[in-house]
Structure formats: structure tokens, C-alpha cells
Amino acid sequence: MSMTTLPLVFINLGGEMLYILDQRLRAQKTAEDNTQKVMNDIIATMFNKAFMEELLKPQDVYSHRALRTVLTRLAHASIMRLNQASMDRLYELMVMAFKYQLLLCPRPRDLLLISYNHIDAIREFVRNTPSVLNQVDETHRKIIEVYTPLSDGELQLLRQTLLIFLQDMHVRVSFFLKDKVQNPNGRFVLSTTGPVPHGTEVPGLIRVFSRSGREIKRLEFPTEGNYTSSIRVGSFELFGDRVIRFGTNMYSATPPEETHTSKNYSQKTNSEPNPLAKEELNLLARLMGRMEILNQNNDSEIGFRVSLFSTEQEEKDIVASGRSGDPSFEVINIQATQDTQVNKELARIAGEFTKEVEEPEPPDGPSNKGEDLLTMMDELV
Amino acid sequence: MTFHAKVELSLWLQRTRDDLKMYHKEKSIQIKSSASALYNNLSVLRIAPRNLTYFSVVHANMVNMVSASWDGLNYSHRQLQSKEPNVTTSSSLIMQAAWCVLPYREILVLTSQKGIQMYESDGSIMVYWHALDTPETPTAQAVFARGIAAVRDKYICVGISSGSVLVFDVPSKGSNITLSEVLEEHKESITDMASECSGSLECIADLVSADDSGNLSVWKSGEDFQLLNKIPGFDMSCSSVKLWKGTVVAGYGTGQIRLYEAITGIIHAEINAHARWIYSLDIAPFSGLLLSAAEDSLVRVWHLTVTPETNSVEIVHMYNECVTDTQICGAKFCDGDGYAFAVTGYDLSEIIRYTQA
């Protein structure tokens, strides 16, 4: 299967994560400075040159566990701390949004436009921080360079690889349910109306040719769909109108309560048969570079609490519905704390990411790095 | 009443009277895990002497096999895993699984990122394993095998991501299967392959191979396979292909189906069949019914008439079935007349079946 999925995975999932964090921080009326700092820190880490280079190396897509670990690290590059359960819920939301985009994307090539929508929005978030903005632009150029030459067949293979990765995930998202893009069983609605993708003809016509290639007959057949001609194609350049809406910030206009997720408990979860393979750990270790997990003890709870997914009133409502026996909704509470000591340490590390330093290989071999990472992950879980 | 008039009347009646629909939904078969989004992700083997039909559906690194008795009372399941050297449990993804019907035996072929596995038809014993050349460090170009066809009496042909087609020589029994030839014609990844399925010995062309740029190659089998013709694509992937009575039926990512005369490459017809990428085509060789299925949730049934004497081909639309909210990835007739067909969809853990009333 495709070996070049990871950069798109991170841009799209990371993008969704940023949309959610941005919306929640604003909903909580967090100070503008703090919001900006959180966004800058995460984006700077995500678009760090070394990080991106690692992602661009041909490799299989990560397991869910590995991906979640890396995304948690990304979120923790900011001044927020998310507990494991909250991170899991955030991950589900990001993943379901990405699955929705992948599934409904009209042509495989449109996956690039979806990615560029995310990058465009990310650019907006950091428009006042030139150094990070520059990183985003550079990464965008690299992505264009790598993915533009791929054929439609190769892009479909990439999409199929990601669809396999997202298979069997049917977490219900209240935002999607309300908009009727997701059914109560967690499956997305596939419409049989609307414009056909660019390059496809509206179904319904049979053309018959003579042996010399001249069209001699036209027949129509009933199609059971209601399709119209394709609309104009979006821009694949650094800047431009992407035309398709998938990948844009769907949370910016929504009220805070619509980012609930609920598990359908009757479905079986996609469990990994093996723990992370050594190889995967090595990849992760390289990816994270010098980034160490800080502050395992979240004792010092000074600073702002961010309840990412419900306001107080909704919590009461949800608890009420819980008592009435509806097991299908969980209260999702994402708590973030600010710690001044952590702040300083993070500022130092964030500083390291903006420099391009070729540090010598530490004396530890890859297997030791792997074990360190395992320990770190155990502490997380 | 002309044939066309009959079809028109039938279609009109179908729209107005449910009991006159050409096909009706039957009880689905549950499978152990959901179908993956892969081209041609359903294979069917009818075993008339035992009143059984086998189905196989790929899920990531596994194949779900179901054996269904015709009375609908007995179902038995088996799961086959992908294989790779030096590893007990392989996570390598399977691209396709298909039964190859040869005169004396039926072989179940699995193609994956690591190689090609061949089993006795019930999946009980692996009779052959061919490892693909995989580079030490992964390259951007993906490596996998995809595209499976049984050709004439003794060949099984399998396509590779590089564009090569491997030709295996299969004895009438046992595991002495050998790689007989490698056909290097395609430059893009093979997507699907099909052999002449009419049973007619008069057809010169035995095999057609399709690739990611839509190029089709038409072959004659033998000790050395001979390239008879190349039909150029238009830079659009041909995801599914069939060969019947010397006519190539090709389904594309644009949702179009094209009919070509295999030997000459002359185009007979072009159908704007689907609004999304076509994932599966099948032909019922005794009746000429054609099945097409795509990501647009639609399965369509057509009727193909090929008259070799006049070199003419006719295609008529017969039936539509919308599988709600499903991106279809496999659709096959369950018998040579097209009396019944089965469908799989991405993320669905069932095989949906339809039969003529």
C-alpha cells in the first residue's frame, strides 16, 4: 500500500485538532495572548523542518496508538496539558472528521485540496508570527512538490490505505448528526445528488460508435441519482481558491456544544494485536527528537481550566440524561493546566525547534531510546 | 415487440411496480470483519456438485471466506492471513483475493504487499508462496501484487505494482507451481486482469491486463505469451476489466465504462455509467449480463450482445440498485446466467445478495 500517507495524515488530523482547540479556547473566553501562544507552539512543532522530513520518508502508516502518541506530544508542545481520556476523545473527533473528508472527497486528487484547506487555515492562525508562517509556507511548498506528480491511481491507493486505517470507526459526532451528514449508527451519509467530480460525466448516456470511430447512436438510461455537471476545479498552488469545502474550519461558526462525541458501545473496538513494534518506536523516537515528556505530575493546578467539550449547563443536562438511562453519551471534559515552571521549560524546547541544529547522535542506541519512549508512554496511560 | 421495446417496457414497469423489479434483495451473509476499500473486493466460487457457494472478502491483512449452502441453512467461515517471510503474524495488507478456475482444480489466490499466496479452493492448505522483491528501505513507489486471472488450461497470471505480469504454470494437482514467465509491458501498477470467459475456443485473445494509467494489454497465452494489442488509456486508472467474446469491458476512475474489440482496439461504445470511481465489473458468461458497481453507491446491470459475424456489440441498461450510504467495493454474479449477484461495501460486515424474482 501507499508509503507516502503520513504527511497528509498529520496535516489533516493536526489541522482538525487546531480547529477544535481554537474553538474551545475562544468559547472559554481564554485570553487572546494565551490562545495565540497555544496555537503558535503547536503549529511550530508540527511544521518543524526535521519533523516534516521524518514524515516525508517513505513508510507505512502508523498504528492508531503510535499516531495518538505523536498527536498528544504535539498538543503538549503548548502550555496545555490534556489528560489521557480527553486526548482519546479529541483523537476520536479528529479522526472522524478526517474519515468524513476522505470518504466524501469527490476525487482522490481532492485529498490534496482538503490538505491545502487545512494549511490555509493554519496559515491564518499564525499570520502574526513570521517565523512560524515561514515554516508553514516551506512545508506547503514541499508537500506540493511531493504530491503533485502523483497519478490519480496513486492518489486513490493513498486514499485506500487511509480508509483501511480508519476502517470500523463509527464514533458518532453530535455536530455531524445534527447536520445530517452522519446517521445514528455512526455511518456517513453518501448523497446521490449534486455535481459530479471534475473529469467525470453526468451518468445517463450510452454512445455507440461505428468501426471507423464515428458516433452512430446515443441512448439514455435512468440513473437513480440526480447529478449535475462538475463545478470548477480548485487551485493546487500555494495560494488560491480551493473550491471544495472539506477541510475548512467547520467549528468556527458552530456553538460550543456541538463537538460532542459518543461511542456506540455495541461495536467492537479496533484493538491492536501486538504492542508497538520496536521499529515503530524507533521511528517515534527519531520523530520526537530531543523532546522530552515533561511534568508527569500535574499536581500544581494553577492557571486556567479549560473544559473543552461542555459548558456547565450542558454538563448538568448530560448528567441528567445519563441518569435517565441513556448510556450513549459520555461527558467529555478536557482539562488543561498552566504551570509556570513547565512554561519556562517548554519555551526552551520551543526555542530549540526554531533553530536548525545538527546535534550529534547521543550515546544511547535506538533500542534504549525505544525503552525511554515506552516508559514515557506507560506513564501517560 | 423488439428487444429494445421490451426493455423500455420492463424498465417502466419496474419503476411503477415493485413486484416486477428485476432483482430482489435476499438475506445478507454476515462476515467476520468489514470489507476494505479495494478494487474488485469480492470473489465468488460456485460449487454445483456440493450445492455450495464460496465468497471471499478482503479486510486489511486478512481474507474472510464464507461457504454458503444453497438452501441458506449452513454457513461456515474461515479467515486467511497475509504472509511474509520471518514473521508469524503478518500485518502486510492484502490487495485482492480471487478464485482461479482451471479445468482440474480451483486455486484461491491472495495478493499482498509482500507476495502471492495460493491455496486449495477451500483455503485449507497453502500450496504455493511467491515473495515479491521488496527493497531494504521502503521507497516512495509502493510495492504490491494486484490483478489475478486464470488463463486457459494451466496458467495463473498475477500483476505487480511495477507493471509486470507474472505467469505461473499450474499442474493439474499438487504444489509444483512454477513461475513460467514475466511479462514486461505496463509501466504503471497493474489494477486488474481478466481472461476470456465465454468458454469459446475461437477467441484469439486469452487475457487482458489493465493498469493505473488506463492502458490495456491484450495477450495470447502459451509457452510464451504473445502481446496481441495495446489499447491506450487516457491517463485515467482502469480499475476493473472483463473479457467476453473478444470484447474488452473496462471500468474507469471517471465512472465510465468502455467496450473495445480486443484484437483491434476499436471502441464499440462508451457509457457514462457512474458518478464516482468504478470498483468492480463482472459478466455472466451464459447470458451476457454485465454488472458494474462504484463508489457512488450504485450497482447497475446491463445486457451485452456480441455478434462476431457482424463485429457488432450492443449494450442495453437493465437495472439499478442503490446500496444506501455505501461505497461499493465488490460486485459479482453468483452464477453463469446472472440469476443472482452479491455486493460488498467499504466498512460493511455483510455480503448483500440479490436474486431475480
PDB file of all heavy atoms in Angstrom, chain A residues 342-373:
ATOM      1  N   VAL A 342       6.749  24.680  33.963  1.00  0.00           N
ATOM      2  CA  VAL A 342       6.609  23.978  32.693  1.00  0.00           C
ATOM      3  C   VAL A 342       6.754  24.955  31.546  1.00  0.00           C
ATOM      4  O   VAL A 342       7.405  24.687  30.544  1.00  0.00           O
ATOM      5  CB  VAL A 342       5.232  23.274  32.623  1.00  0.00           C
ATOM      6  CG1 VAL A 342       4.961  22.729  31.240  1.00  0.00           C
ATOM      7  CG2 VAL A 342       5.172  22.159  33.653  1.00  0.00           C
ATOM      8  N   ASN A 343       6.130  26.086  31.715  1.00  0.00           N
ATOM      9  CA  ASN A 343       6.199  27.160  30.730  1.00  0.00           C
ATOM     10  C   ASN A 343       7.618  27.464  30.293  1.00  0.00           C
ATOM     11  O   ASN A 343       7.925  27.538  29.110  1.00  0.00           O
ATOM     12  CB  ASN A 343       5.618  28.436  31.341  1.00  0.00           C
ATOM     13  CG  ASN A 343       4.377  28.850  30.608  1.00  0.00           C
ATOM     14  OD1 ASN A 343       4.051  28.311  29.559  1.00  0.00           O
ATOM     15  ND2 ASN A 343       3.666  29.806  31.160  1.00  0.00           N
ATOM     16  N   LYS A 344       8.479  27.635  31.311  1.00  0.00           N
ATOM     17  CA  LYS A 344       9.869  28.007  31.017  1.00  0.00           C
ATOM     18  C   LYS A 344      10.543  26.891  30.241  1.00  0.00           C
ATOM     19  O   LYS A 344      11.241  27.128  29.257  1.00  0.00           O
ATOM     20  CB  LYS A 344      10.643  28.251  32.319  1.00  0.00           C
ATOM     21  CG  LYS A 344      10.376  29.602  32.957  1.00  0.00           C
ATOM     22  CD  LYS A 344      11.299  29.864  34.147  1.00  0.00           C
ATOM     23  CE  LYS A 344      10.698  30.934  35.056  1.00  0.00           C
ATOM     24  NZ  LYS A 344      10.932  30.658  36.468  1.00  0.00           N
ATOM     25  N   GLU A 345      10.346  25.677  30.722  1.00  0.00           N
ATOM     26  CA  GLU A 345      10.967  24.517  30.089  1.00  0.00           C
ATOM     27  C   GLU A 345      10.499  24.388  28.643  1.00  0.00           C
ATOM     28  O   GLU A 345      11.274  24.134  27.731  1.00  0.00           O
ATOM     29  CB  GLU A 345      10.599  23.273  30.903  1.00  0.00           C
ATOM     30  CG  GLU A 345      11.439  22.042  30.601  1.00  0.00           C
ATOM     31  CD  GLU A 345      12.935  22.272  30.702  1.00  0.00           C
ATOM     32  OE1 GLU A 345      13.390  22.799  31.734  1.00  0.00           O
ATOM     33  OE2 GLU A 345      13.637  21.964  29.721  1.00  0.00           O
ATOM     34  N   LEU A 346       9.221  24.568  28.456  1.00  0.00           N
ATOM     35  CA  LEU A 346       8.640  24.456  27.120  1.00  0.00           C
ATOM     36  C   LEU A 346       9.133  25.552  26.206  1.00  0.00           C
ATOM     37  O   LEU A 346       9.367  25.333  25.029  1.00  0.00           O
ATOM     38  CB  LEU A 346       7.115  24.487  27.206  1.00  0.00           C
ATOM     39  CG  LEU A 346       6.513  23.135  27.578  1.00  0.00           C
ATOM     40  CD1 LEU A 346       5.095  23.308  28.053  1.00  0.00           C
ATOM     41  CD2 LEU A 346       6.545  22.194  26.389  1.00  0.00           C
ATOM     42  N   ALA A 347       9.272  26.738  26.800  1.00  0.00           N
ATOM     43  CA  ALA A 347       9.759  27.854  25.995  1.00  0.00           C
ATOM     44  C   ALA A 347      11.146  27.523  25.479  1.00  0.00           C
ATOM     45  O   ALA A 347      11.478  27.771  24.322  1.00  0.00           O
ATOM     46  CB  ALA A 347       9.780  29.126  26.834  1.00  0.00           C
ATOM     47  N   ARG A 348      11.941  26.883  26.350  1.00  0.00           N
ATOM     48  CA  ARG A 348      13.291  26.490  25.945  1.00  0.00           C
ATOM     49  C   ARG A 348      13.238  25.493  24.804  1.00  0.00           C
ATOM     50  O   ARG A 348      13.933  25.609  23.801  1.00  0.00           O
ATOM     51  CB  ARG A 348      14.024  25.913  27.163  1.00  0.00           C
ATOM     52  CG  ARG A 348      15.455  25.495  26.891  1.00  0.00           C
ATOM     53  CD  ARG A 348      16.103  24.822  28.099  1.00  0.00           C
ATOM     54  NE  ARG A 348      15.561  23.498  28.371  1.00  0.00           N
ATOM     55  CZ  ARG A 348      15.880  22.401  27.694  1.00  0.00           C
ATOM     56  NH1 ARG A 348      16.713  22.465  26.685  1.00  0.00           N
ATOM     57  NH2 ARG A 348      15.332  21.240  28.012  1.00  0.00           N
ATOM     58  N   ILE A 349      12.370  24.505  24.940  1.00  0.00           N
ATOM     59  CA  ILE A 349      12.277  23.476  23.904  1.00  0.00           C
ATOM     60  C   ILE A 349      11.697  24.044  22.624  1.00  0.00           C
ATOM     61  O   ILE A 349      12.162  23.738  21.531  1.00  0.00           O
ATOM     62  CB  ILE A 349      11.447  22.279  24.400  1.00  0.00           C
ATOM     63  CG1 ILE A 349      12.280  21.522  25.427  1.00  0.00           C
ATOM     64  CG2 ILE A 349      11.059  21.368  23.246  1.00  0.00           C
ATOM     65  CD1 ILE A 349      11.637  20.295  25.957  1.00  0.00           C
ATOM     66  N   ALA A 350      10.706  24.888  22.777  1.00  0.00           N
ATOM     67  CA  ALA A 350      10.124  25.524  21.594  1.00  0.00           C
ATOM     68  C   ALA A 350      11.209  26.301  20.873  1.00  0.00           C
ATOM     69  O   ALA A 350      11.285  26.289  19.642  1.00  0.00           O
ATOM     70  CB  ALA A 350       8.978  26.429  21.984  1.00  0.00           C
ATOM     71  N   GLY A 351      12.072  26.926  21.676  1.00  0.00           N
ATOM     72  CA  GLY A 351      13.187  27.665  21.101  1.00  0.00           C
ATOM     73  C   GLY A 351      14.078  26.760  20.293  1.00  0.00           C
ATOM     74  O   GLY A 351      14.495  27.090  19.185  1.00  0.00           O
ATOM     75  N   GLU A 352      14.332  25.567  20.804  1.00  0.00           N
ATOM     76  CA  GLU A 352      15.182  24.604  20.098  1.00  0.00           C
ATOM     77  C   GLU A 352      14.607  24.240  18.749  1.00  0.00           C
ATOM     78  O   GLU A 352      15.327  24.015  17.795  1.00  0.00           O
ATOM     79  CB  GLU A 352      15.334  23.337  20.935  1.00  0.00           C
ATOM     80  CG  GLU A 352      16.475  23.428  21.905  1.00  0.00           C
ATOM     81  CD  GLU A 352      16.627  22.152  22.731  1.00  0.00           C
ATOM     82  OE1 GLU A 352      15.987  21.146  22.386  1.00  0.00           O
ATOM     83  OE2 GLU A 352      17.380  22.191  23.701  1.00  0.00           O
ATOM     84  N   PHE A 353      13.291  24.174  18.676  1.00  0.00           N
ATOM     85  CA  PHE A 353      12.662  23.772  17.425  1.00  0.00           C
ATOM     86  C   PHE A 353      12.752  24.832  16.347  1.00  0.00           C
ATOM     87  O   PHE A 353      12.620  24.548  15.179  1.00  0.00           O
ATOM     88  CB  PHE A 353      11.203  23.390  17.645  1.00  0.00           C
ATOM     89  CG  PHE A 353      11.046  21.927  17.935  1.00  0.00           C
ATOM     90  CD1 PHE A 353      10.820  21.481  19.218  1.00  0.00           C
ATOM     91  CD2 PHE A 353      11.162  20.992  16.916  1.00  0.00           C
ATOM     92  CE1 PHE A 353      10.689  20.133  19.483  1.00  0.00           C
ATOM     93  CE2 PHE A 353      11.048  19.643  17.186  1.00  0.00           C
ATOM     94  CZ  PHE A 353      10.810  19.210  18.464  1.00  0.00           C
ATOM     95  N   THR A 354      12.942  26.057  16.753  1.00  0.00           N
ATOM     96  CA  THR A 354      13.023  27.089  15.719  1.00  0.00           C
ATOM     97  C   THR A 354      14.421  27.223  15.168  1.00  0.00           C
ATOM     98  O   THR A 354      14.660  27.841  14.172  1.00  0.00           O
ATOM     99  CB  THR A 354      12.545  28.462  16.227  1.00  0.00           C
ATOM    100  OG1 THR A 354      13.350  28.808  17.354  1.00  0.00           O
ATOM    101  CG2 THR A 354      11.087  28.408  16.646  1.00  0.00           C
ATOM    102  N   LYS A 355      15.405  26.600  15.851  1.00  0.00           N
ATOM    103  CA  LYS A 355      16.769  26.614  15.329  1.00  0.00           C
ATOM    104  C   LYS A 355      16.978  25.371  14.497  1.00  0.00           C
ATOM    105  O   LYS A 355      16.368  24.346  14.717  1.00  0.00           O
ATOM    106  CB  LYS A 355      17.781  26.583  16.484  1.00  0.00           C
ATOM    107  CG  LYS A 355      17.847  27.869  17.290  1.00  0.00           C
ATOM    108  CD  LYS A 355      18.933  27.773  18.352  1.00  0.00           C
ATOM    109  CE  LYS A 355      18.371  27.101  19.619  1.00  0.00           C
ATOM    110  NZ  LYS A 355      19.398  26.973  20.678  1.00  0.00           N
ATOM    111  N   GLU A 356      17.866  25.438  13.542  1.00  0.00           N
ATOM    112  CA  GLU A 356      18.198  24.221  12.808  1.00  0.00           C
ATOM    113  C   GLU A 356      19.555  23.771  13.288  1.00  0.00           C
ATOM    114  O   GLU A 356      20.593  24.242  12.840  1.00  0.00           O
ATOM    115  CB  GLU A 356      18.228  24.488  11.312  1.00  0.00           C
ATOM    116  CG  GLU A 356      16.841  24.763  10.787  1.00  0.00           C
ATOM    117  CD  GLU A 356      16.802  24.660   9.282  1.00  0.00           C
ATOM    118  OE1 GLU A 356      17.583  23.880   8.731  1.00  0.00           O
ATOM    119  OE2 GLU A 356      15.991  25.382   8.685  1.00  0.00           O
ATOM    120  N   VAL A 357      19.530  22.895  14.273  1.00  0.00           N
ATOM    121  CA  VAL A 357      20.788  22.465  14.876  1.00  0.00           C
ATOM    122  C   VAL A 357      21.020  21.009  14.562  1.00  0.00           C
ATOM    123  O   VAL A 357      20.159  20.160  14.795  1.00  0.00           O
ATOM    124  CB  VAL A 357      20.714  22.661  16.410  1.00  0.00           C
ATOM    125  CG1 VAL A 357      21.937  22.114  17.088  1.00  0.00           C
ATOM    126  CG2 VAL A 357      20.544  24.143  16.715  1.00  0.00           C
ATOM    127  N   GLU A 358      22.169  20.694  14.019  1.00  0.00           N
ATOM    128  CA  GLU A 358      22.519  19.307  13.806  1.00  0.00           C
ATOM    129  C   GLU A 358      23.261  18.814  15.030  1.00  0.00           C
ATOM    130  O   GLU A 358      24.445  19.064  15.186  1.00  0.00           O
ATOM    131  CB  GLU A 358      23.430  19.163  12.575  1.00  0.00           C
ATOM    132  CG  GLU A 358      22.692  19.396  11.272  1.00  0.00           C
ATOM    133  CD  GLU A 358      21.570  18.396  11.059  1.00  0.00           C
ATOM    134  OE1 GLU A 358      21.828  17.189  11.119  1.00  0.00           O
ATOM    135  OE2 GLU A 358      20.418  18.843  10.850  1.00  0.00           O
ATOM    136  N   GLU A 359      22.537  18.191  15.941  1.00  0.00           N
ATOM    137  CA  GLU A 359      23.221  17.726  17.148  1.00  0.00           C
ATOM    138  C   GLU A 359      23.757  16.331  16.918  1.00  0.00           C
ATOM    139  O   GLU A 359      23.158  15.538  16.197  1.00  0.00           O
ATOM    140  CB  GLU A 359      22.251  17.740  18.329  1.00  0.00           C
ATOM    141  CG  GLU A 359      21.952  19.158  18.777  1.00  0.00           C
ATOM    142  CD  GLU A 359      21.032  19.189  19.994  1.00  0.00           C
ATOM    143  OE1 GLU A 359      21.257  18.377  20.897  1.00  0.00           O
ATOM    144  OE2 GLU A 359      20.115  20.016  20.010  1.00  0.00           O
ATOM    145  N   PRO A 360      24.887  16.031  17.550  1.00  0.00           N
ATOM    146  CA  PRO A 360      25.441  14.686  17.361  1.00  0.00           C
ATOM    147  C   PRO A 360      24.536  13.639  17.989  1.00  0.00           C
ATOM    148  O   PRO A 360      23.772  13.929  18.897  1.00  0.00           O
ATOM    149  CB  PRO A 360      26.797  14.750  18.089  1.00  0.00           C
ATOM    150  CG  PRO A 360      26.650  15.861  19.083  1.00  0.00           C
ATOM    151  CD  PRO A 360      25.692  16.836  18.488  1.00  0.00           C
ATOM    152  N   GLU A 361      24.621  12.441  17.452  1.00  0.00           N
ATOM    153  CA  GLU A 361      23.827  11.314  17.939  1.00  0.00           C
ATOM    154  C   GLU A 361      24.172  11.071  19.404  1.00  0.00           C
ATOM    155  O   GLU A 361      25.314  10.963  19.763  1.00  0.00           O
ATOM    156  CB  GLU A 361      24.174  10.090  17.099  1.00  0.00           C
ATOM    157  CG  GLU A 361      23.180   8.960  17.202  1.00  0.00           C
ATOM    158  CD  GLU A 361      21.886   9.256  16.486  1.00  0.00           C
ATOM    159  OE1 GLU A 361      21.922   9.756  15.350  1.00  0.00           O
ATOM    160  OE2 GLU A 361      20.826   8.974  17.082  1.00  0.00           O
ATOM    161  N   PRO A 362      23.197  10.988  20.298  1.00  0.00           N
ATOM    162  CA  PRO A 362      23.503  10.733  21.703  1.00  0.00           C
ATOM    163  C   PRO A 362      24.060   9.324  21.884  1.00  0.00           C
ATOM    164  O   PRO A 362      23.862   8.477  21.018  1.00  0.00           O
ATOM    165  CB  PRO A 362      22.137  10.875  22.391  1.00  0.00           C
ATOM    166  CG  PRO A 362      21.162  10.572  21.322  1.00  0.00           C
ATOM    167  CD  PRO A 362      21.763  11.042  20.037  1.00  0.00           C
ATOM    168  N   PRO A 363      24.747   9.080  22.980  1.00  0.00           N
ATOM    169  CA  PRO A 363      25.382   7.781  23.158  1.00  0.00           C
ATOM    170  C   PRO A 363      24.383   6.621  23.196  1.00  0.00           C
ATOM    171  O   PRO A 363      24.712   5.510  22.861  1.00  0.00           O
ATOM    172  CB  PRO A 363      26.141   7.899  24.482  1.00  0.00           C
ATOM    173  CG  PRO A 363      25.600   9.107  25.157  1.00  0.00           C
ATOM    174  CD  PRO A 363      25.049   9.986  24.103  1.00  0.00           C
ATOM    175  N   ASP A 364      23.137   6.887  23.571  1.00  0.00           N
ATOM    176  CA  ASP A 364      22.151   5.802  23.613  1.00  0.00           C
ATOM    177  C   ASP A 364      21.859   5.262  22.228  1.00  0.00           C
ATOM    178  O   ASP A 364      21.698   6.009  21.290  1.00  0.00           O
ATOM    179  CB  ASP A 364      20.818   6.315  24.192  1.00  0.00           C
ATOM    180  CG  ASP A 364      20.954   6.690  25.657  1.00  0.00           C
ATOM    181  OD1 ASP A 364      21.940   6.267  26.289  1.00  0.00           O
ATOM    182  OD2 ASP A 364      20.090   7.414  26.128  1.00  0.00           O
ATOM    183  N   GLY A 365      21.786   3.951  22.115  1.00  0.00           N
ATOM    184  CA  GLY A 365      21.404   3.333  20.845  1.00  0.00           C
ATOM    185  C   GLY A 365      19.889   3.442  20.653  1.00  0.00           C
ATOM    186  O   GLY A 365      19.183   3.820  21.574  1.00  0.00           O
ATOM    187  N   PRO A 366      19.428   3.091  19.479  1.00  0.00           N
ATOM    188  CA  PRO A 366      17.980   3.196  19.192  1.00  0.00           C
ATOM    189  C   PRO A 366      17.138   2.378  20.163  1.00  0.00           C
ATOM    190  O   PRO A 366      16.050   2.795  20.531  1.00  0.00           O
ATOM    191  CB  PRO A 366      17.830   2.648  17.779  1.00  0.00           C
ATOM    192  CG  PRO A 366      19.189   2.564  17.215  1.00  0.00           C
ATOM    193  CD  PRO A 366      20.177   2.608  18.328  1.00  0.00           C
ATOM    194  N   SER A 367      17.623   1.230  20.579  1.00  0.00           N
ATOM    195  CA  SER A 367      16.793   0.387  21.436  1.00  0.00           C
ATOM    196  C   SER A 367      16.584   1.053  22.788  1.00  0.00           C
ATOM    197  O   SER A 367      15.511   0.971  23.363  1.00  0.00           O
ATOM    198  CB  SER A 367      17.421  -0.987  21.619  1.00  0.00           C
ATOM    199  OG  SER A 367      18.757  -0.826  22.046  1.00  0.00           O
ATOM    200  N   ASN A 368      17.606   1.765  23.276  1.00  0.00           N
ATOM    201  CA  ASN A 368      17.433   2.473  24.543  1.00  0.00           C
ATOM    202  C   ASN A 368      16.427   3.586  24.414  1.00  0.00           C
ATOM    203  O   ASN A 368      15.611   3.811  25.283  1.00  0.00           O
ATOM    204  CB  ASN A 368      18.775   3.039  25.028  1.00  0.00           C
ATOM    205  CG  ASN A 368      19.682   1.921  25.502  1.00  0.00           C
ATOM    206  OD1 ASN A 368      19.207   0.813  25.734  1.00  0.00           O
ATOM    207  ND2 ASN A 368      20.951   2.206  25.624  1.00  0.00           N
ATOM    208  N   LYS A 369      16.493   4.269  23.262  1.00  0.00           N
ATOM    209  CA  LYS A 369      15.524   5.349  23.013  1.00  0.00           C
ATOM    210  C   LYS A 369      14.134   4.765  23.035  1.00  0.00           C
ATOM    211  O   LYS A 369      13.207   5.321  23.579  1.00  0.00           O
ATOM    212  CB  LYS A 369      15.774   5.962  21.624  1.00  0.00           C
ATOM    213  CG  LYS A 369      16.586   7.205  21.631  1.00  0.00           C
ATOM    214  CD  LYS A 369      16.492   7.879  20.270  1.00  0.00           C
ATOM    215  CE  LYS A 369      17.530   8.974  20.158  1.00  0.00           C
ATOM    216  NZ  LYS A 369      17.693   9.466  18.828  1.00  0.00           N
ATOM    217  N   GLY A 370      14.026   3.595  22.438  1.00  0.00           N
ATOM    218  CA  GLY A 370      12.731   2.925  22.390  1.00  0.00           C
ATOM    219  C   GLY A 370      12.198   2.660  23.778  1.00  0.00           C
ATOM    220  O   GLY A 370      11.038   2.873  24.071  1.00  0.00           O
ATOM    221  N   GLU A 371      13.114   2.204  24.652  1.00  0.00           N
ATOM    222  CA  GLU A 371      12.671   1.898  26.005  1.00  0.00           C
ATOM    223  C   GLU A 371      12.263   3.152  26.751  1.00  0.00           C
ATOM    224  O   GLU A 371      11.300   3.135  27.499  1.00  0.00           O
ATOM    225  CB  GLU A 371      13.766   1.152  26.770  1.00  0.00           C
ATOM    226  CG  GLU A 371      13.623  -0.361  26.596  1.00  0.00           C
ATOM    227  CD  GLU A 371      14.940  -1.095  26.519  1.00  0.00           C
ATOM    228  OE1 GLU A 371      15.893  -0.645  27.182  1.00  0.00           O
ATOM    229  OE2 GLU A 371      15.008  -2.099  25.809  1.00  0.00           O
ATOM    230  N   ASP A 372      13.018   4.239  26.537  1.00  0.00           N
ATOM    231  CA  ASP A 372      12.646   5.508  27.166  1.00  0.00           C
ATOM    232  C   ASP A 372      11.242   5.891  26.754  1.00  0.00           C
ATOM    233  O   ASP A 372      10.411   6.277  27.569  1.00  0.00           O
ATOM    234  CB  ASP A 372      13.588   6.636  26.725  1.00  0.00           C
ATOM    235  CG  ASP A 372      14.954   6.497  27.358  1.00  0.00           C
ATOM    236  OD1 ASP A 372      15.036   5.797  28.383  1.00  0.00           O
ATOM    237  OD2 ASP A 372      15.911   7.077  26.819  1.00  0.00           O
ATOM    238  N   LEU A 373      10.983   5.745  25.476  1.00  0.00           N
ATOM    239  CA  LEU A 373       9.695   6.126  24.933  1.00  0.00           C
ATOM    240  C   LEU A 373       8.601   5.252  25.521  1.00  0.00           C
ATOM    241  O   LEU A 373       7.526   5.706  25.863  1.00  0.00           O
ATOM    242  CB  LEU A 373       9.739   5.986  23.412  1.00  0.00           C
ATOM    243  CG  LEU A 373       8.862   6.931  22.607  1.00  0.00           C
ATOM    244  CD1 LEU A 373       9.084   8.369  23.028  1.00  0.00           C
ATOM    245  CD2 LEU A 373       9.185   6.771  21.143  1.00  0.00           C
TER     246      LEU A 373
END
